[in-house]
């Protein structure tokens, strides 16, 4: 899947379909797939998909409210006018993404913030590909952060015997790892830029 994405054979969305198809074929070859298991899997997939779509729909309604209130634009304008170190501004932007990720899905965050924040990042001299990696990391961190971690609610709905608080505690090490990686690639941007620099050669 990673090789197919990197070589341009298919997009990340198509890679998910390729991975699901390969797992499906492996289950058939190993004779571990029965009609009962297949039906149960389809019903569970439908239930989880509907739940996630309702959560995303709610997040989109909230993002529409934020767009009408112009809160993201005002925050971005405030960041530009600070006149301080670019790394301090980056820290504030990272914190904003982490905060927004607690309430919004990734697409809503990008639509609301990037039109204003991206030019600021370019003017500060940061690499746009590197900032894209930072955005993805922060959006992922926000999706597992209380109080409205979308991914955490999804996991909690699947693991019915685990309370929501336990799922949040289980996600804490991953949140710490994401923040550490963000700090690391800020110190050494070439970690995030090495593979992209090889593309097109």
């Amino acid at each position: 899947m990673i090789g197919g994405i990197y070589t341009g054979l298919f997009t990340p969305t198509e890679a998910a379909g390729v991975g699901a198809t390969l797992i499906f074929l492996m289950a058939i070859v190993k004779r571990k797939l029965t009609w009962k298991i297949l039906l149960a899997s389809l019903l569970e997939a439908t239930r989880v998909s509907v739940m996630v779509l309702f959560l995303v729909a709610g997040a989109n309604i909230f993002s529409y409210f934020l767009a009408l209130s112009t809160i993201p634009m005002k925050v971005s304008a405030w960041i530009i006018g600070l006149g301080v170190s670019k790394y301090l501004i980056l820290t504030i932007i990272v914190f904003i993404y982490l905060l927004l990720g607690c309430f919004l899905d990734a697409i809503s965050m990008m639509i609301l913030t990037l039109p204003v924040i991206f030019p600021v990042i370019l003017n500060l001299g940061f690499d746009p590909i590197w900032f894209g990696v930072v955005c993805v990391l922060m959006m992922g961190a926000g999706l597992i952060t209380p109080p409205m971690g979308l991914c955490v609610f999804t996991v909690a709905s699947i693991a019915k015997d685990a309370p929501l608080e336990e799922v949040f505690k289980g996600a804490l090490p991953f949140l710490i790892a994401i923040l550490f990686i963000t700090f690391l690639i800020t110190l050494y941007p070439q970690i995030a830029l090495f593979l992209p620099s090889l593309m097109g050669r």
Side-chain angles (χ1 to χ4, degrees):
M1 290 171 63
I2 298 298
I5 295 172
Y6 190 72
T7 55
L9 290 177
F10 39 70
T11 65
T13 303
E14 292 167 344
V18 171
T21 303
L22 290 176
I23 293 296
F24 179 74
L25 294 176
M26 287 173 59
I28 293 176
V29 171
K30 292 184 177 182
R31 297 184 178 180
K32 292 186 176 180
L33 185 66
T34 64
W35 285 108
K36 183 178 179 181
I37 294 175
L38 178 61
L39 181 61
S41 299
L42 292 175
L43 289 174
E44 183 66 14
T46 302
R47 188 182 69 84
V48 172
S49 298
V50 170
M51 185 208 66
V52 171
L53 288 173
F54 268 107
L55 288 173
V56 171
N60 284 334
I61 293 172
F62 186 60
S63 67
Y64 181 69
F65 160 75
L66 286 179
L68 290 177
S69 65
T70 68
I71 290 174
M73 292 71 175
K74 291 178 181 177
V75 171
S76 298
W78 172 70
I79 292 173
I80 297 172
L82 286 178
V84 293
S85 167
K86 67 177 186 177
Y87 290 103
L88 179 59
I89 295 176
L90 177 66
T91 303
I92 294 172
I93 292 173
V94 165
F95 177 75
I96 289 172
Y97 272 117
L98 187 62
L99 186 64
L100 289 176
C102 300
F103 303 97
L104 302 175
D105 62 289
I107 295 175
S108 299
M109 281 188 282
M110 288 189 290
I111 292 173
L112 285 170
T113 60
L114 285 182
V116 179
I117 288 181
F118 190 67
V120 175
I121 289 297
L122 294 180
N123 290 333
L124 291 174
F126 290 112
D127 188 280
I129 297 177
W130 170 85
F131 181 68
V133 174
V134 172
C135 281
V136 170
L137 286 170
M138 284 301 97
M139 290 171 189
L143 293 175
I144 59 173
T145 305
M148 294 294 291
L150 187 64
C151 291
V152 175
F153 281 107
T154 303
V155 172
S157 70
I158 297 171
K160 300 182 181 65
D161 56 336
L164 189 60
E165 294 81 6
E166 186 177 340
V167 179
F168 272 118
K169 289 179 182 178
L172 182 61
F174 296 96
L175 177 61
I176 295 172
I178 290 174
L179 294 176
F180 174 74
I181 292 298
T182 304
F183 175 74
L184 194 62
I185 66 173
T186 302
L187 290 180
Y188 307 102
Q190 284 305 315
I191 296 176
L193 297 175
F194 174 70
L195 285 178
S197 67
L198 298 178
M199 298 184 72
R201 289 188 176 182

